[in-house]
Amino acid sequence: MSAHGTPIPMMSRKSGPLVGEANVPGDKSISHRSLILGAMAVGETRITGLLEGQDVLDTGKAMRAFGAEVEDLGGGNWRVQGVGVGGFAEPENVIDCGNSGTGVRLIMGAMATTPISATFTGDASLNSRPMARVTDPLALFGAQAVGRAGGRLPMTIVGAADPVPVRYTTPVPSAQVKSAVLLAGLNAPGQTVVIEKEATRDHTERMLAGFGAEITTEVTDEGRVITLTGQPELKPQDIIVPRDPSSAAFPVCAALITEGSDVLVPNIGLNPTRAGLFTTLRDMGADLTYENEREEGGEPVADLRARYSPDMKGIDVPTDRAASMIDEYPVLSVVAAFARGRTLMAGVKELRVKECDRIDAMVTGLQANGVQVEEGDDWYAVEGQGPGAVQGGAEVQSHLDHRIAMAFLVMGLAAQTPVRVDDGGPIATSFPIFEPLMAELGAQIERSAT
Ligand code: S3P
């Protein structure tokens, strides 16, 4: 369901072998950044393979509201005419970022050091998520934020007229926070430094360098120290967006648990800050191979081949891997339910502040479908039922969370009885072609009346 949509109940049932090629859409993180950095460059950026999910479309709309030209050229090709660093105009109306935490947090950062005000809102999920993690560091630049209790949206940011550069250690492992500070640092004089104790996805750093900013990352005892020199002229780019490993996760995991499956998922970015799920699945004994490994646009890329894997075993997922697979825990916990033994997922407190409380949503949904799960504040553990041994049969709530909806629909493909999801509408935020792509592989997923 979008902010104003009606729920779309969905159901998945035990399916025959999933076979074929799954061409998943462009990377969501890189798509947001392409539009935002394109809008902050001087001149015309061209983007190929943009994810045309609702989250990214909302960011495109926002960039228009700040004065950039954003044009859909068709077929995943987009053109952005940027206004330059510091060139944002004040939006005439409220900026609605829909369901997207990445969109709103990065845009807040991008406008916080320009002397304009903007008011942000979103859907019920986004309006319940914490924004202080971003507005606290933005205040150090001189920006002011006024929002609802608990630092929630709707919220107005008054950009700093005379921004100062900032040195900031991120208190939580979050690429969104890191990126908001770096984007704010673009229009501050001097050097802005962000220190992160654990590595999070580094697309902002890579792309800023690509757009011509002076940015370095040093690994020290303090952590990763990222230094950006402010007030560069960003040069427009031609960007080819790689395919999203977080979307690839769904057909890959579906193939691993569905008897007889053999699915190829081509051209997936395996940036080490994103590929933790695939390493974990291989550690569990999944028949998941990387074919045609190569480099594209400075990123490691491979075609993933996933085959039915009845011999997977539960493991303790290393806590230092959490940031590199933070969006993949929902679907990993579904795979864990079909493995033998216990899978412990610890150090994952951040899951509680995603599109919904993902620990709570997974624990409740798995238990309703006959899977034993234990839960603590920053961990949960799934007791594997063994291949084909998950009961299913229950309806779960997706809580406006695309990844919860997709994870449980994947579960239903191999469970003994169908699994229903109260609302599959949010899937359109990140994976608008999920239903036809899965159907093409042979998955039985349908829209259903509850
Ligand atoms: C993202 C960062 C992650 C991730 C989100 C996308 C990004 O959030 O969960 O889906 O593009 O920077 P956090 O940075 O809050 O962990």
Side-chain angles (χ1 to χ4, degrees):
M1 186 169 82
S2 74
H4 315 290
T6 41
I8 302 174
M10 292 177 72
M11 179 177 77
S12 61
R13 63 175 81 244
K14 202 168 176 65
S15 299
L18 306 180
V19 180
E21 200 171 290
N23 289 299
V24 304
D27 189 279
K28 181 154 75 71
S29 294
I30 295 175
S31 294
H32 282 295
R33 287 159 174 81
S34 299
L35 292 170
I36 296 169
L37 289 173
M40 298 177 89
V42 179
E44 184 175 297
T45 286
R46 295 245 169 187
I47 309 167
T48 301
L50 188 83
L51 165 64
E52 293 173 351
Q54 193 55 46
D55 279 10
V56 175
L57 298 178
D58 286 337
T59 288
K61 238 191 267 168
M63 290 302 98
R64 277 191 205 117
F66 282 101
E69 278 175 38
V70 179
E71 193 188 349
D72 178 359
L73 303 174
N77 298 306
W78 289 67
R79 185 185 76 86
V80 181
Q81 184 71 35
V83 293
V85 167
F88 278 165
E90 187 163 272
E92 284 175 13
N93 219 321
V94 173
I95 304 293
D96 188 346
C97 289
N99 190 250
S100 181
T102 306
V104 75
R105 292 183 176 131
L106 268 55
I107 296 167
M108 281 179 172
M111 58 73 59
T113 46
T114 302
I116 55 172
S117 298
T119 301
F120 297 89
T121 192
D123 68 6
S125 158
L126 189 57
N127 287 1
S128 70
R129 296 179 68 183
M131 293 298 142
R133 54 178 54 203
V134 168
T135 55
D136 286 353
L138 296 183
L140 305 175
F141 287 97
Q144 290 171 284
V146 186
R148 286 164 60 232
R152 317 275 153 172
L153 302 181
M155 177 176 278
T156 298
I157 306 282
V158 182
D162 291 305
V164 289
V166 154
R167 184 181 176 87
Y168 189 69
T169 302
T170 54
V172 285
S174 167
Q176 293 176 358
V177 174
K178 169 178 67 177
S179 302
V181 176
L182 290 172
L183 293 173
L186 279 175
N187 200 35
Q191 292 192 323
T192 285
V193 180
V194 185
I195 301 157
E196 58 177 4
K197 290 177 207 128
E198 290 167 56
T200 63
R201 66 191 70 196
D202 60 359
H203 306 302
T204 303
E205 297 92 302
R206 287 173 188 250
M207 292 179 74
L208 276 170
F211 273 85
E214 215 181 296
I215 182 163
T216 58
T217 300
E218 247 186 299
V219 181
T220 71
D221 292 346
E222 268 183 298
R224 285 156 65 93
V225 180
I226 303 148
T227 306
L228 171 75
T229 302
Q231 300 181 327
E233 182 174 307
L234 297 183
K235 295 178 192 62
Q237 297 298 301
D238 283 347
I239 299 171
I240 300 172
V241 179
R243 291 184 179 165
D244 199 326
S246 299
S247 296
F250 295 101
V252 162
C253 290
L256 298 180
I257 61 171
T258 305
E259 202 172 340
S261 297
D262 184 349
V263 170
L264 186 72
V265 192
N267 293 326
I268 300 305
L270 291 177
N271 177 320
T273 62
R274 295 290 299 282
L277 170 74
F278 305 126
T279 310
T280 301
L281 293 170
R282 281 153 61 122
D283 288 352
M284 292 170 78
D287 185 353
L288 172 63
T289 50
Y290 300 165
E291 297 183 356
N292 196 12
E293 284 184 70
R294 57 206 184 270
E295 280 233 334
E296 271 175 24
E299 298 262 358
V301 172
D303 305 336
L304 306 183
R305 181 175 289 279
R307 295 189 177 92
Y308 177 52
S309 302
D311 296 323
M312 288 186 288
K313 295 190 173 49
I315 61 165
D316 289 2
V317 181
T319 52
D320 63 2
R321 206 179 275 167
S324 70
M325 51 181 289
I326 195 66
D327 290 336
E328 281 66 77
Y329 283 94
V331 76
L332 174 66
S333 28
V334 166
V335 172
F338 290 90
R340 290 196 178 85
R342 183 177 196 252
T343 295
L344 173 66
M345 293 161 280
V348 294
K349 199 167 187 177
E350 277 296 297
L351 294 182
R352 296 209 179 270
V353 289
K354 294 296 178 188
E355 283 80 335
C356 72
D357 178 339
R358 285 183 173 161
I359 296 182
D360 193 51
M362 289 312 299
V363 169
T364 310
L366 285 165
Q367 284 173 340
N369 282 285
V371 182
Q372 285 173 45
V373 193
E374 272 185 278
E375 174 187 3
D377 182 38
D378 75 338
W379 63 271
Y380 65 120
V382 173
E383 204 55 59
Q385 313 292 295
V390 172
Q391 205 183 293
E395 174 172 296
V396 301
Q397 287 183 285
S398 61
H399 299 285
L400 287 176
D401 189 325
H402 52 136
R403 298 198 204 283
I404 298 297
M406 288 186 280
F408 281 109
L409 290 170
V410 164
M411 189 167 97
L413 301 177
Q416 291 161 359
T417 29
V419 172
R420 281 169 293 131
V421 169
D422 68 335
D423 181 15
I427 294 170
T429 61
S430 71
F431 201 158
I433 59 166
F434 176 75
E435 289 169 79
L437 179 144
M438 294 301 290
E440 185 73 30
L441 298 175
Q444 296 197 50
I445 297 177
E446 62 204 53
R447 299 190 175 197
S448 61
T450 38

